[in-house]
Amino acid sequence: MTADIRADHRPAAPPLTERQEARRRRILNASAQLAARGGFDAVQMREVAEAAGVALGTLYRYFPSKIHLLVATMQDQLQHMHTTLRKRPPAGADPAERVAETLMRAFRALQREPQLADAMVRALTFADRGVSPEVDTVSRLTTAIILDAMGTEHPTPEQLSAVRVIEHTWHSALITWLSGRASIAQVKIDIETVCRLIDLTAPEAAARR
Amino acid sequence: MTADIRADHRPAAPPLTERQEARRRRILNASAQLAARGGFDAVQMREVAEAAGVALGTLYRYFPSKIHLLVATMQDQLQHMHTTLRKRPPAGADPAERVAETLMRAFRALQREPQLADAMVRALTFADRGVSPEVDTVSRLTTAIILDAMGTEHPTPEQLSAVRVIEHTWHSALITWLSGRASIAQVKIDIETVCRLIDLTAPEAAARR
DNA sequence: CGCTAATCTAGAACAAGTTACAGACTTGAT
DNA sequence: ATCAAGTCTGTAACTTGTTCTAGATTAGCG
């Protein structure tokens, strides 16, 4: 990504110097580490700044709010996941299976760091208009992961809608799990349920109708 | 509902006196009014207390956090919507249509007060474990509305999963719309897309498989 | 009525996100 | 090497959610 300080913005801000890149990295790492410990609440801006060896004002220059910081953290983690997944693509026979498998794999990864997941997902859904560009980036990354799993090069609008619905379900199911209102089994079922939409919106299925 | 002070809790708290009921009502109204003006941020606990003519400490006794307050506000609004919808049931021929129609009607209602919608939905998705019972109540209410629209008395587990997925999509689509990342048209398409799951999980469809 | 426990009020105090600012340090261009 | 512009640091202040406290009020009961 090599994003400039304010993540991805319109006028393509100046590139970062090496030390700035390092600072940004330290901040993101500190954020992830604190989040992994105690979730959303444990990511306190003063603590992040201290852990990253950076002044509070500098932290805010790099990430204009706690939400921005956590969304950027999520972006970072998603990137990892994407490359990991690419190395070991899902094995299912049809697209719906592969997507479900991919999402469940991601889900298991999140289960290993539930607090981190909590912090990132809460930030994502709490983000308001001011964070739209960043949230959008995360959304595009997620879409890319799902399309990868489907193996679909040129999705139809119908398929894109199905993918959006899958993303909606994914985020929302994650939240219900994180807040203890749904079991892991239930999340699995819901993901499998929603993935059926993929078959339903496949071009051949449309032709069959 | 006539919930006691701490909404619905296990040991069925004591009933409220008339004055307490009135206070609770004033608080919820103040909350909705402030939210309708300026969204989540405009609902400031001191302001709510003042507008409701109640001390800050009292407000916190009735609703132990801003999130609780807003979730209760949502519960309140949903109740209205549910009775309204019952008076004028959706007219579509098959269940999927009727659910889509119902949700779009609800969506249009929210469009009339986008700021209020923002405050309520953000609170709902931001709620952590501590608010689970209240969030669950909202979820059950939503489920009831959808099942009403389907006209299904005894849903199968499969159908319940479909309903959950629809709820996920509904919340999450709402969020993307509220944060300006999706158009109204897109929300409509996504809702219609997810509603197809209803046909797909209808008992006859299962038999056909 | 008179008592006791629960509730309510007003206001201070505390916590964490955010902003502001003065002075030191870096960077890039000349 | 020097200068101007931009960054970074340290620190204090401000905002808003939340907690706490002491004293007034109210509700239920004998």
Side-chain angles (χ1 to χ4, degrees), chain A residues 122-175:
Chain A
R122 298 259 294 287
L124 202 65
T125 59
F126 193 62
D128 65 356
R129 300 185 117 75
V131 201
S132 286
E134 289 78 7
V135 174
D136 230 49
T137 302
V138 168
S139 172
R140 272 198 303 280
L141 250 173
T142 312
T143 304
I145 291 177
I146 295 176
L147 285 177
D148 263 23
M150 286 172 62
T152 304
E153 291 282 317
H154 303 293
T156 65
E158 223 185 354
Q159 287 179 306
L160 283 178
S161 174
V163 171
R164 276 200 307 276
V165 169
I166 290 173
E167 282 186 49
H168 291 321
T169 302
W170 165 246
H171 282 145
S172 185
L174 224 45
I175 289 176

CSV table of all heavy atoms in Angstrom, one decimal, chain A residues 122-175:
chain,number,residue,atom,x,y,z
A,122,ARG,N,-15.3,-3.2,15.5
A,122,ARG,CA,-16.1,-2.1,16.2
A,122,ARG,C,-15.8,-0.8,15.5
A,122,ARG,O,-16.6,0.0,15.2
A,122,ARG,CB,-15.8,-2.0,17.7
A,122,ARG,CG,-16.2,-3.3,18.4
A,122,ARG,CD,-17.6,-3.2,19.1
A,122,ARG,NE,-17.6,-2.2,20.2
A,122,ARG,CZ,-17.0,-2.4,21.3
A,122,ARG,NH1,-16.3,-3.5,21.6
A,122,ARG,NH2,-17.0,-1.5,22.3
A,123,ALA,N,-14.5,-0.6,15.3
A,123,ALA,CA,-14.1,0.7,14.7
A,123,ALA,C,-14.7,0.8,13.3
A,123,ALA,O,-15.2,1.9,12.9
A,123,ALA,CB,-12.5,0.8,14.6
A,124,LEU,N,-14.6,-0.3,12.6
A,124,LEU,CA,-15.1,-0.3,11.2
A,124,LEU,C,-16.6,0.1,11.1
A,124,LEU,O,-17.0,0.9,10.3
A,124,LEU,CB,-14.9,-1.7,10.6
A,124,LEU,CG,-14.9,-1.7,9.1
A,124,LEU,CD1,-13.7,-1.0,8.6
A,124,LEU,CD2,-14.9,-3.1,8.6
A,125,THR,N,-17.4,-0.5,12.0
A,125,THR,CA,-18.8,-0.2,11.9
A,125,THR,C,-19.2,1.1,12.6
A,125,THR,O,-20.3,1.7,12.3
A,125,THR,CB,-19.7,-1.3,12.5
A,125,THR,OG1,-19.3,-1.4,13.9
A,125,THR,CG2,-19.4,-2.6,11.8
A,126,PHE,N,-18.3,1.6,13.4
A,126,PHE,CA,-18.6,2.9,14.1
A,126,PHE,C,-18.2,4.1,13.3
A,126,PHE,O,-18.6,5.2,13.5
A,126,PHE,CB,-17.9,2.9,15.5
A,126,PHE,CG,-18.4,4.0,16.4
A,126,PHE,CD1,-19.7,4.0,16.8
A,126,PHE,CD2,-17.5,5.0,16.8
A,126,PHE,CE1,-20.2,5.0,17.6
A,126,PHE,CE2,-18.0,6.0,17.6
A,126,PHE,CZ,-19.3,6.0,18.0
A,127,ALA,N,-17.3,3.8,12.3
A,127,ALA,CA,-16.8,4.9,11.5
A,127,ALA,C,-17.9,5.7,10.9
A,127,ALA,O,-18.9,5.2,10.3
A,127,ALA,CB,-15.9,4.3,10.4
A,128,ASP,N,-17.8,7.0,10.9
A,128,ASP,CA,-18.7,7.9,10.3
A,128,ASP,C,-18.2,8.4,8.9
A,128,ASP,O,-17.2,7.9,8.4
A,128,ASP,CB,-19.1,9.0,11.2
A,128,ASP,CG,-18.0,9.9,11.4
A,128,ASP,OD1,-16.9,9.6,10.9
A,128,ASP,OD2,-18.2,11.0,12.1
A,129,ARG,N,-18.9,9.3,8.3
A,129,ARG,CA,-18.6,9.8,7.0
A,129,ARG,C,-17.1,10.2,6.9
A,129,ARG,O,-16.5,10.0,5.8
A,129,ARG,CB,-19.5,11.0,6.6
A,129,ARG,CG,-20.9,10.7,6.6
A,129,ARG,CD,-21.7,11.9,6.2
A,129,ARG,NE,-22.4,11.7,4.9
A,129,ARG,CZ,-23.5,11.0,4.9
A,129,ARG,NH1,-24.1,10.5,6.0
A,129,ARG,NH2,-24.1,10.8,3.7
A,130,GLY,N,-16.6,10.8,7.9
A,130,GLY,CA,-15.2,11.3,7.9
A,130,GLY,C,-14.2,10.2,7.6
A,130,GLY,O,-13.1,10.5,7.2
A,131,VAL,N,-14.6,9.0,7.8
A,131,VAL,CA,-13.6,7.9,7.6
A,131,VAL,C,-13.9,7.1,6.3
A,131,VAL,O,-13.3,6.1,6.0
A,131,VAL,CB,-13.6,7.0,8.8
A,131,VAL,CG1,-12.3,6.2,8.9
A,131,VAL,CG2,-13.8,7.8,10.1
A,132,SER,N,-14.9,7.5,5.6
A,132,SER,CA,-15.4,6.8,4.4
A,132,SER,C,-14.3,6.3,3.5
A,132,SER,O,-14.3,5.1,3.2
A,132,SER,CB,-16.4,7.6,3.6
A,132,SER,OG,-17.6,7.7,4.3
A,133,PRO,N,-13.4,7.1,3.1
A,133,PRO,CA,-12.4,6.6,2.1
A,133,PRO,C,-11.6,5.4,2.7
A,133,PRO,O,-11.4,4.4,2.0
A,133,PRO,CB,-11.4,7.8,2.0
A,133,PRO,CG,-12.1,9.0,2.5
A,133,PRO,CD,-13.2,8.5,3.4
A,134,GLU,N,-11.2,5.5,3.9
A,134,GLU,CA,-10.5,4.4,4.6
A,134,GLU,C,-11.3,3.1,4.7
A,134,GLU,O,-10.9,2.0,4.4
A,134,GLU,CB,-9.9,4.8,5.9
A,134,GLU,CG,-8.8,5.8,5.9
A,134,GLU,CD,-9.3,7.3,5.6
A,134,GLU,OE1,-10.6,7.5,5.6
A,134,GLU,OE2,-8.5,8.1,5.4
A,135,VAL,N,-12.6,3.3,5.1
A,135,VAL,CA,-13.4,2.2,5.2
A,135,VAL,C,-13.7,1.5,3.9
A,135,VAL,O,-13.7,0.3,3.7
A,135,VAL,CB,-14.8,2.6,5.9
A,135,VAL,CG1,-15.8,1.4,5.9
A,135,VAL,CG2,-14.6,3.1,7.3
A,136,ASP,N,-13.8,2.4,2.9
A,136,ASP,CA,-14.0,1.9,1.5
A,136,ASP,C,-12.8,1.0,1.1
A,136,ASP,O,-13.0,0.0,0.4
A,136,ASP,CB,-14.1,3.1,0.6
A,136,ASP,CG,-15.3,3.0,-0.3
A,136,ASP,OD1,-16.4,2.7,0.3
A,136,ASP,OD2,-15.2,3.1,-1.5
A,137,THR,N,-11.6,1.5,1.4
A,137,THR,CA,-10.4,0.7,1.1
A,137,THR,C,-10.5,-0.7,1.7
A,137,THR,O,-10.3,-1.7,1.0
A,137,THR,CB,-9.2,1.3,1.6
A,137,THR,OG1,-9.1,2.6,1.0
A,137,THR,CG2,-7.9,0.6,1.2
A,138,VAL,N,-10.9,-0.8,3.0
A,138,VAL,CA,-11.1,-2.1,3.6
A,138,VAL,C,-12.1,-2.9,2.9
A,138,VAL,O,-12.0,-4.1,2.6
A,138,VAL,CB,-11.5,-1.9,5.1
A,138,VAL,CG1,-12.0,-3.2,5.7
A,138,VAL,CG2,-10.3,-1.3,5.9
A,139,SER,N,-13.2,-2.2,2.5
A,139,SER,CA,-14.3,-2.9,1.8
A,139,SER,C,-13.8,-3.5,0.5
A,139,SER,O,-14.1,-4.6,0.1
A,139,SER,CB,-15.5,-2.0,1.6
A,139,SER,OG,-16.4,-2.6,0.8
A,140,ARG,N,-13.0,-2.7,-0.2
A,140,ARG,CA,-12.5,-3.2,-1.5
A,140,ARG,C,-11.6,-4.4,-1.3
A,140,ARG,O,-11.6,-5.3,-2.1
A,140,ARG,CB,-11.8,-2.1,-2.3
A,140,ARG,CG,-12.8,-1.2,-3.1
A,140,ARG,CD,-12.0,-0.4,-4.2
A,140,ARG,NE,-11.0,0.4,-3.5
A,140,ARG,CZ,-11.3,1.6,-3.0
A,140,ARG,NH1,-12.5,2.1,-3.0
A,140,ARG,NH2,-10.3,2.3,-2.4
A,141,LEU,N,-10.8,-4.3,-0.3
A,141,LEU,CA,-9.9,-5.4,0.0
A,141,LEU,C,-10.7,-6.7,0.3
A,141,LEU,O,-10.4,-7.8,-0.2
A,141,LEU,CB,-9.1,-5.1,1.2
A,141,LEU,CG,-7.6,-4.9,1.0
A,141,LEU,CD1,-6.9,-4.4,2.3
A,141,LEU,CD2,-6.9,-6.1,0.5
A,142,THR,N,-11.8,-6.6,1.1
A,142,THR,CA,-12.6,-7.7,1.4
A,142,THR,C,-13.3,-8.3,0.1
A,142,THR,O,-13.3,-9.5,-0.1
A,142,THR,CB,-13.7,-7.3,2.4
A,142,THR,OG1,-13.1,-6.6,3.5
A,142,THR,CG2,-14.4,-8.5,2.9
A,143,THR,N,-13.8,-7.4,-0.7
A,143,THR,CA,-14.4,-7.8,-2.0
A,143,THR,C,-13.3,-8.6,-2.8
A,143,THR,O,-13.7,-9.6,-3.4
A,143,THR,CB,-14.8,-6.5,-2.8
A,143,THR,OG1,-15.7,-5.8,-2.0
A,143,THR,CG2,-15.5,-7.0,-4.1
A,144,ALA,N,-12.1,-8.1,-2.9
A,144,ALA,CA,-11.1,-8.7,-3.7
A,144,ALA,C,-10.9,-10.1,-3.1
A,144,ALA,O,-10.8,-11.1,-3.9
A,144,ALA,CB,-9.8,-7.9,-3.6
A,145,ILE,N,-10.9,-10.3,-1.8
A,145,ILE,CA,-10.6,-11.6,-1.2
A,145,ILE,C,-11.8,-12.6,-1.7
A,145,ILE,O,-11.5,-13.7,-2.1
A,145,ILE,CB,-10.5,-11.5,0.3
A,145,ILE,CG1,-9.2,-10.8,0.7
A,145,ILE,CG2,-10.6,-12.9,0.9
A,145,ILE,CD1,-9.0,-10.6,2.2
A,146,ILE,N,-13.0,-12.1,-1.6
A,146,ILE,CA,-14.1,-12.9,-1.9
A,146,ILE,C,-14.1,-13.3,-3.4
A,146,ILE,O,-14.3,-14.4,-3.8
A,146,ILE,CB,-15.5,-12.3,-1.5
A,146,ILE,CG1,-15.5,-12.1,0.0
A,146,ILE,CG2,-16.6,-13.1,-2.0
A,146,ILE,CD1,-16.7,-11.4,0.5
A,147,LEU,N,-13.9,-12.3,-4.2
A,147,LEU,CA,-13.9,-12.6,-5.7
A,147,LEU,C,-12.7,-13.5,-6.0
A,147,LEU,O,-12.9,-14.4,-6.8
A,147,LEU,CB,-13.7,-11.3,-6.4
A,147,LEU,CG,-14.9,-10.4,-6.5
A,147,LEU,CD1,-14.6,-9.1,-7.3
A,147,LEU,CD2,-16.1,-11.1,-7.2
A,148,ASP,N,-11.6,-13.4,-5.3
A,148,ASP,CA,-10.5,-14.4,-5.5
A,148,ASP,C,-11.0,-15.8,-5.2
A,148,ASP,O,-10.8,-16.7,-6.0
A,148,ASP,CB,-9.4,-14.1,-4.5
A,148,ASP,CG,-8.3,-13.2,-5.2
A,148,ASP,OD1,-8.6,-12.6,-6.2
A,148,ASP,OD2,-7.2,-13.3,-4.7
A,149,ALA,N,-11.7,-15.9,-4.1
A,149,ALA,CA,-12.2,-17.2,-3.7
A,149,ALA,C,-13.2,-17.8,-4.7
A,149,ALA,O,-13.3,-19.0,-5.1
A,149,ALA,CB,-12.9,-17.2,-2.3
A,150,MET,N,-14.0,-16.9,-5.3
A,150,MET,CA,-15.0,-17.3,-6.3
A,150,MET,C,-14.3,-17.7,-7.6
A,150,MET,O,-14.8,-18.6,-8.3
A,150,MET,CB,-16.0,-16.2,-6.6
A,150,MET,CG,-17.0,-15.9,-5.5
A,150,MET,SD,-18.0,-14.4,-5.8
A,150,MET,CE,-18.8,-14.8,-7.3
A,151,GLY,N,-13.2,-17.1,-7.8
A,151,GLY,CA,-12.5,-17.3,-9.1
A,151,GLY,C,-13.2,-16.7,-10.2
A,151,GLY,O,-13.1,-17.1,-11.4
A,152,THR,N,-13.9,-15.6,-9.9
A,152,THR,CA,-14.7,-14.9,-10.9
A,152,THR,C,-13.9,-13.7,-11.4
A,152,THR,O,-13.6,-12.8,-10.6
A,152,THR,CB,-16.0,-14.4,-10.4
A,152,THR,OG1,-16.7,-15.6,-9.9
A,152,THR,CG2,-16.9,-13.8,-11.5
A,153,GLU,N,-13.6,-13.7,-12.7
A,153,GLU,CA,-12.8,-12.5,-13.3
A,153,GLU,C,-13.7,-11.3,-13.4
A,153,GLU,O,-13.4,-10.2,-13.0
A,153,GLU,CB,-12.2,-12.9,-14.6
A,153,GLU,CG,-11.2,-14.0,-14.5
A,153,GLU,CD,-9.8,-13.4,-14.0
A,153,GLU,OE1,-9.5,-12.3,-14.5
A,153,GLU,OE2,-9.2,-14.0,-13.2
A,154,HIS,N,-14.8,-11.5,-14.1
A,154,HIS,CA,-15.7,-10.4,-14.5
A,154,HIS,C,-17.1,-10.6,-13.9
A,154,HIS,O,-18.0,-11.1,-14.6
A,154,HIS,CB,-15.7,-10.2,-16.0
A,154,HIS,CG,-14.4,-10.0,-16.6
A,154,HIS,ND1,-13.6,-8.9,-16.4
A,154,HIS,CD2,-13.6,-10.8,-17.4
A,154,HIS,CE1,-12.4,-9.0,-17.0
A,154,HIS,NE2,-12.5,-10.2,-17.6
A,155,PRO,N,-17.3,-10.2,-12.7
A,155,PRO,CA,-18.6,-10.4,-12.0
A,155,PRO,C,-19.7,-9.6,-12.6
A,155,PRO,O,-19.4,-8.4,-13.1
A,155,PRO,CB,-18.3,-10.0,-10.6
A,155,PRO,CG,-17.2,-9.0,-10.7
A,155,PRO,CD,-16.3,-9.5,-11.8
A,156,THR,N,-20.8,-10.1,-12.7
A,156,THR,CA,-22.0,-9.4,-13.1
A,156,THR,C,-22.5,-8.5,-12.0
A,156,THR,O,-22.1,-8.7,-10.8
A,156,THR,CB,-23.2,-10.3,-13.5
A,156,THR,OG1,-23.6,-11.0,-12.3
A,156,THR,CG2,-22.8,-11.3,-14.5
A,157,PRO,N,-23.3,-7.4,-12.3
A,157,PRO,CA,-23.8,-6.6,-11.2
A,157,PRO,C,-24.5,-7.4,-10.2
A,157,PRO,O,-24.4,-7.2,-9.0
A,157,PRO,CB,-24.8,-5.7,-12.0
A,157,PRO,CG,-24.3,-5.7,-13.4
A,157,PRO,CD,-23.7,-7.0,-13.6
A,158,GLU,N,-25.2,-8.4,-10.6
A,158,GLU,CA,-26.0,-9.3,-9.7
A,158,GLU,C,-25.0,-10.0,-8.8
A,158,GLU,O,-25.2,-10.0,-7.6
A,158,GLU,CB,-26.7,-10.3,-10.5
A,158,GLU,CG,-28.1,-10.6,-10.1
A,158,GLU,CD,-28.7,-11.7,-10.9
A,158,GLU,OE1,-28.1,-12.2,-11.8
A,158,GLU,OE2,-29.8,-12.1,-10.5
A,159,GLN,N,-23.9,-10.5,-9.3
A,159,GLN,CA,-22.9,-11.1,-8.5
A,159,GLN,C,-22.3,-10.1,-7.5
A,159,GLN,O,-22.0,-10.5,-6.3
A,159,GLN,CB,-21.8,-11.8,-9.3
A,159,GLN,CG,-22.3,-13.0,-10.0
A,159,GLN,CD,-21.2,-13.6,-10.9
A,159,GLN,OE1,-20.7,-13.0,-11.7
A,159,GLN,NE2,-21.0,-14.9,-10.7
A,160,LEU,N,-22.0,-8.9,-8.0
A,160,LEU,CA,-21.5,-7.9,-7.1
A,160,LEU,C,-22.4,-7.6,-5.9
A,160,LEU,O,-22.0,-7.5,-4.8
A,160,LEU,CB,-21.2,-6.6,-7.8
A,160,LEU,CG,-19.9,-6.7,-8.7
A,160,LEU,CD1,-19.7,-5.4,-9.5
A,160,LEU,CD2,-18.7,-7.0,-7.8
A,161,SER,N,-23.7,-7.6,-6.2
A,161,SER,CA,-24.6,-7.4,-5.1
A,161,SER,C,-24.6,-8.6,-4.1
A,161,SER,O,-24.6,-8.4,-2.9
A,161,SER,CB,-26.0,-7.3,-5.7
A,161,SER,OG,-27.0,-7.2,-4.6
A,162,ALA,N,-24.5,-9.8,-4.7
A,162,ALA,CA,-24.3,-10.9,-3.8
A,162,ALA,C,-23.1,-10.8,-2.9
A,162,ALA,O,-23.1,-11.1,-1.7
A,162,ALA,CB,-24.3,-12.2,-4.6
A,163,VAL,N,-22.0,-10.4,-3.5
A,163,VAL,CA,-20.8,-10.2,-2.7
A,163,VAL,C,-21.0,-9.2,-1.6
A,163,VAL,O,-20.5,-9.3,-0.5
A,163,VAL,CB,-19.6,-9.8,-3.6
A,163,VAL,CG1,-18.4,-9.4,-2.8
A,163,VAL,CG2,-19.3,-11.0,-4.6
A,164,ARG,N,-21.6,-8.1,-2.0
A,164,ARG,CA,-21.9,-7.1,-1.0
A,164,ARG,C,-22.7,-7.7,0.2
A,164,ARG,O,-22.4,-7.4,1.4
A,164,ARG,CB,-22.6,-5.9,-1.6
A,164,ARG,CG,-21.7,-4.9,-2.2
A,164,ARG,CD,-22.4,-3.5,-2.3
A,164,ARG,NE,-23.7,-3.6,-3.0
A,164,ARG,CZ,-23.9,-3.6,-4.3
A,164,ARG,NH1,-22.8,-3.5,-5.1
A,164,ARG,NH2,-25.1,-3.7,-4.8
A,165,VAL,N,-23.7,-8.4,-0.2
A,165,VAL,CA,-24.5,-9.0,0.9
A,165,VAL,C,-23.7,-10.0,1.7
A,165,VAL,O,-23.8,-10.0,3.0
A,165,VAL,CB,-25.7,-9.8,0.3
A,165,VAL,CG1,-26.4,-10.6,1.3
A,165,VAL,CG2,-26.7,-8.8,-0.3
A,166,ILE,N,-22.8,-10.7,1.1
A,166,ILE,CA,-21.9,-11.6,1.9
A,166,ILE,C,-21.1,-10.8,2.8
A,166,ILE,O,-20.9,-11.1,4.0
A,166,ILE,CB,-21.1,-12.4,0.9
A,166,ILE,CG1,-21.9,-13.4,0.2
A,166,ILE,CG2,-20.0,-13.1,1.7
A,166,ILE,CD1,-21.2,-14.2,-0.9
A,167,GLU,N,-20.6,-9.6,2.3
A,167,GLU,CA,-19.8,-8.8,3.2
A,167,GLU,C,-20.6,-8.3,4.4
A,167,GLU,O,-20.1,-8.3,5.5
A,167,GLU,CB,-19.2,-7.6,2.4
A,167,GLU,CG,-18.0,-8.0,1.6
A,167,GLU,CD,-17.4,-6.7,1.0
A,167,GLU,OE1,-17.2,-5.7,1.7
A,167,GLU,OE2,-17.2,-6.7,-0.2
A,168,HIS,N,-21.8,-7.8,4.1
A,168,HIS,CA,-22.7,-7.3,5.1
A,168,HIS,C,-22.8,-8.4,6.2
A,168,HIS,O,-22.6,-8.2,7.4
A,168,HIS,CB,-24.1,-7.0,4.6
A,168,HIS,CG,-24.1,-5.8,3.7
A,168,HIS,ND1,-23.4,-4.7,3.9
A,168,HIS,CD2,-24.8,-5.6,2.5
A,168,HIS,CE1,-23.6,-3.8,3.0
A,168,HIS,NE2,-24.5,-4.3,2.1
A,169,THR,N,-23.1,-9.6,5.7
A,169,THR,CA,-23.4,-10.7,6.7
A,169,THR,C,-22.1,-11.0,7.5
A,169,THR,O,-22.2,-11.2,8.7
A,169,THR,CB,-23.8,-12.0,5.9
A,169,THR,OG1,-25.0,-11.7,5.1
A,169,THR,CG2,-24.1,-13.1,6.8
A,170,TRP,N,-21.0,-11.0,6.8
A,170,TRP,CA,-19.7,-11.3,7.4
A,170,TRP,C,-19.5,-10.3,8.6
A,170,TRP,O,-19.2,-10.7,9.7
A,170,TRP,CB,-18.7,-11.2,6.3
A,170,TRP,CG,-17.2,-11.1,6.8
A,170,TRP,CD1,-16.4,-10.1,6.6
A,170,TRP,CD2,-16.5,-12.1,7.5
A,170,TRP,NE1,-15.2,-10.4,7.1
A,170,TRP,CE2,-15.2,-11.6,7.7
A,170,TRP,CE3,-16.8,-13.4,7.9
A,170,TRP,CZ2,-14.2,-12.3,8.3
A,170,TRP,CZ3,-15.8,-14.1,8.6
A,170,TRP,CH2,-14.5,-13.6,8.8
A,171,HIS,N,-19.6,-9.0,8.3
A,171,HIS,CA,-19.3,-8.0,9.3
A,171,HIS,C,-20.3,-8.2,10.5
A,171,HIS,O,-19.9,-8.2,11.6
A,171,HIS,CB,-19.4,-6.6,8.8
A,171,HIS,CG,-18.2,-6.2,8.0
A,171,HIS,ND1,-18.3,-5.4,6.9
A,171,HIS,CD2,-16.9,-6.5,8.2
A,171,HIS,CE1,-17.1,-5.3,6.4
A,171,HIS,NE2,-16.2,-5.9,7.2
A,172,SER,N,-21.6,-8.3,10.1
A,172,SER,CA,-22.6,-8.3,11.1
A,172,SER,C,-22.6,-9.5,12.0
A,172,SER,O,-22.7,-9.5,13.2
A,172,SER,CB,-23.9,-8.1,10.4
A,172,SER,OG,-25.0,-7.9,11.4
A,173,ALA,N,-22.3,-10.7,11.3
A,173,ALA,CA,-22.2,-11.9,12.0
A,173,ALA,C,-21.0,-11.9,13.0
A,173,ALA,O,-21.1,-12.3,14.2
A,173,ALA,CB,-22.1,-13.1,11.1
A,174,LEU,N,-19.9,-11.3,12.5
A,174,LEU,CA,-18.8,-11.1,13.4
A,174,LEU,C,-19.1,-10.3,14.6
A,174,LEU,O,-18.7,-10.7,15.7
A,174,LEU,CB,-17.7,-10.3,12.6
A,174,LEU,CG,-16.3,-10.8,12.6
A,174,LEU,CD1,-16.2,-12.3,12.5
A,174,LEU,CD2,-15.5,-10.2,11.6
A,175,ILE,N,-19.9,-9.3,14.4
A,175,ILE,CA,-20.3,-8.4,15.6
A,175,ILE,C,-21.1,-9.2,16.6
A,175,ILE,O,-20.9,-9.2,17.8
A,175,ILE,CB,-21.0,-7.2,15.1
A,175,ILE,CG1,-20.0,-6.3,14.4
A,175,ILE,CG2,-21.7,-6.5,16.2
A,175,ILE,CD1,-20.7,-5.1,13.8
